[in-house]
Amino acid sequence: MRICLVSQQVAPFLHGGGIATSVAQMARSLAEAGHEAHILTEAREGLQESIPASLRRVRFHEVDLARVPLSLPGYHMAL
């Protein structure tokens, strides 16, 4: 199954537990179970190079949230 989680907060890039930790753990567990796991998250410098070994099977996709209007295939947002 192909699964995409969407969150600005993803551990270990944001610390403090909560949703950031849940998103990382869920994606890792799904990938380890054989699913294709993706995380759509806020773009941050060095993210792709700093993905920890525990999340190497998860594909990260960065979105520039400062770009308005946000235009993603399959998602329309008008401000």
Side-chain angles (χ1 to χ4, degrees):
M1 186 174 357
R2 182 178 298 153
I3 302 160
C4 181
L5 304 170
V6 181
S7 178
Q8 284 181 273
Q9 302 177 24
V10 181
F13 310 110
L14 291 176
H15 301 285
I19 193 68
T21 300
S22 296
V23 168
Q25 289 177 343
M26 192 179 319
R28 185 188 72 239
S29 295
L30 289 164
E32 288 175 355
H35 300 289
E36 185 179 317
H38 299 258
I39 295 178
L40 186 64
T41 191
E42 182 177 16
R44 41 181 75 77
E45 191 173 328
L47 182 134
Q48 297 296 333
E49 297 78 27
S50 61
I51 296 172
S54 63
L55 293 174
R56 293 273 189 240
R57 298 168 104 184
V58 176
R59 297 179 188 171
F60 282 79
H61 306 276
E62 299 175 81
V63 177
D64 181 4
L65 298 176
R67 190 178 75 206
V68 177
L70 182 59
S71 178
L72 300 171
Y75 177 77
H76 175 71
M77 182 181 125
L79 297 176

